[in-house]
Amino acid sequence: MKLQRMNRRALALGALAVSGALALTACGSDDTGGNSGGGSSANAASSNIKCDDAKGQLLADGSSAQKNAIDAWVKQFTAACQGVQINYKGGGSGAGVTAFTQGQVAFAGSDSALKPDEVAASKKVCSGGQGIDLPMVGGPIAVGYNVNGVDNLVLDSATLAKIFNNEITNWNDPAIKKLNPNAKLPNLKIQAFHRSDDSGTTDNFTKYLIATAKSDWPYDGGKTWQAKGGQSASGSSGVAQQVKQTNGAIGYFELSYAKDGLKTVDLDTGAAQPVKATVENATKAISEAKVVGTGKDLALELNYGTKAEGAYPMVLVTYEIVCDKGNKSDTLPATKAFLRYIASEDGQKILAENDYAPIPDDIISQVRTTIESLS
């Protein structure tokens, strides 16, 4: 009898413990549900994604500049649309455009708008249509540097041009000293890194130099690096890694790659104060962009020479390139659903969280309309 009473007591205590645990779990669930932190925000964003009939695998390639943004978008999109797989290689703008015009990918990313010959080539894969540019990602091109003992560095376009053209080769050069009178510049060789692959980042970086320091940058520009000297690395991540591990190094890449203590140059643009490479400052410069594409093409003209206070003019805009008509029927639903999401308010919000600049409202509204018309 005594043993039976003990068993009944143990069962009662066990039931009470389970009841308490369930109550605590319920309270925890309610608290989490009411939390405005990253988890619930991500869930809210995912709940707004329209999958429609999207399914299958999307292959894409192109700009490494937007790779971090694409990764963040894909994570959200595929969580909501579990029937879709997206493989974005990020092999550079040149590789992306080539893959698109050869019909190998559903869409491509490029930091430069399609050239006339590339549009002509796209007509072979866009049945009854052609490739168009949809501006989707903005951001500053940061100039990262690694010089021991120098935590703040100001450069202007002329000095940058001479550094990357191998005409200024030492960190204690008088031109750098003049811009940084209080810095302890070492007698150290400059190791300038540029992109080895065809790159829209290179195109935009050199467009800035051409617009603001033409006499010191005697090149035509484009995706392929043209200047003499320097060292090369593949992709923005490769350039950033080389700068990070090399004392005396300098290189250009998107701000999202300036992580883990990498320092970035402030630009002397002619404004009252040097301008830092930030999302906010890049947005000020991008807001001056004008749509110059025709038809459904939304290619932009950027004002690299702006001297507006707080505007960081060394910027790029990454385009998603897709057929206006003649997209492959098996990938069109998923392509439209993904592009619709990344152009949405939720999709654009993710950019600022990852050191990119959202596209201005008047432009992104045109992008949204164009996406709905894709066929």
Side-chain angles (χ1 to χ4, degrees), residues 27 131 136 158 189 191 223 226 229 251 271 297 337:
C27 290
M136 201 71 75
K189 182 181 179 182
Q191 307 278 353
K223 295 186 182 77
Q226 298 173 329
D297 187 90

Side-chain angles (χ1 to χ4, degrees), residues 118-263:
E118 294 168 340
V119 172
S122 74
K123 293 180 180 180
K124 297 177 182 178
V125 296
C126 300
S127 180
Q130 66 179 50
I132 56 172
D133 302 287
L134 301 178
M136 201 71 75
V137 181
I141 300 174
V143 177
Y145 70 97
N146 180 355
V147 182
N148 291 340
V150 180
D151 295 324
N152 297 287
L153 185 68
V154 176
L155 295 175
D156 58 17
S157 58
T159 306
L160 274 172
K162 291 175 183 176
I163 287 173
F164 281 92
N165 199 29
N166 204 36
E167 293 179 3
I168 292 179
T169 58
N170 205 290
W171 280 108
N172 64 356
D173 188 275
I176 303 178
K177 283 186 176 181
K178 185 178 180 180
L179 292 164
N180 300 273
N182 298 320
K184 295 181 179 179
L185 297 165
N187 181 15
L188 177 68
K189 182 181 179 182
I190 295 174
Q191 307 278 353
F193 285 90
H194 58 264
R195 290 281 290 273
S196 59
D197 52 319
D198 282 0
S199 159
T201 310
T202 293
D203 191 16
N204 285 275
F205 176 64
T206 56
K207 279 179 179 176
Y208 169 74
L209 297 180
I210 291 169
T212 58
K214 180 61 178 173
S215 60
D216 297 301
W217 192 257
Y219 303 102
D220 296 332
K223 295 186 182 77
T224 303
W225 185 256
Q226 298 173 329
K228 60 186 179 182
Q231 301 177 65
S232 64
S234 178
S236 291
S237 59
V239 173
Q241 183 61 32
Q242 289 297 325
V243 172
K244 181 180 178 180
Q245 65 189 24
T246 307
N247 186 32
I250 188 170
Y252 59 91
F253 39 79
E254 293 66 44
L255 183 62
S256 66
Y257 291 92
K259 302 292 186 183
D260 302 325
L262 267 176
K263 296 168 285 190

Side-chain angles (χ1 to χ4, degrees), residues 71-141:
D71 288 347
W73 280 329
V74 167
K75 182 178 180 181
Q76 294 296 318
F77 183 80
T78 54
C81 306
Q82 297 182 8
V84 182
Q85 292 181 329
I86 300 176
N87 181 4
Y88 182 82
K89 291 177 63 178
S93 296
V97 172
T98 298
F100 179 76
T101 57
Q102 292 179 352
Q104 299 172 356
V105 294
F107 70 92
S110 177
D111 308 320
S112 300
L114 291 168
K115 303 293 189 294
D117 61 321
E118 294 168 340
V119 172
S122 74
K123 293 180 180 180
K124 297 177 182 178
V125 296
C126 300
S127 180
Q130 66 179 50
I132 56 172
D133 302 287
L134 301 178
M136 201 71 75
V137 181
I141 300 174

Side-chain angles (χ1 to χ4, degrees), residues 288-358:
E288 298 183 23
K290 298 178 181 179
V291 175
V292 294
T294 59
K296 294 182 180 180
D297 187 90
L298 297 175
L300 302 178
E301 181 178 83
L302 299 171
N303 182 9
Y304 297 101
T306 182
K307 296 181 181 179
E309 295 298 327
Y312 185 88
M314 195 190 299
V315 295
L316 59 74
V317 168
T318 301
Y319 302 93
E320 310 313 330
I321 296 171
V322 66
C323 297
D324 58 354
K325 297 178 182 179
N327 290 280
K328 294 179 180 178
S329 59
D330 58 336
T331 57
L332 179 59
T335 299
K336 287 184 72 169
F338 182 64
L339 293 179
R340 181 187 296 123
Y341 161 60
I342 68 179
S344 71
E345 185 176 344
D346 286 336
Q348 289 289 297
K349 280 181 180 177
I350 284 180
L351 292 177
E353 297 169 6
N354 289 275
D355 295 319
Y356 293 98

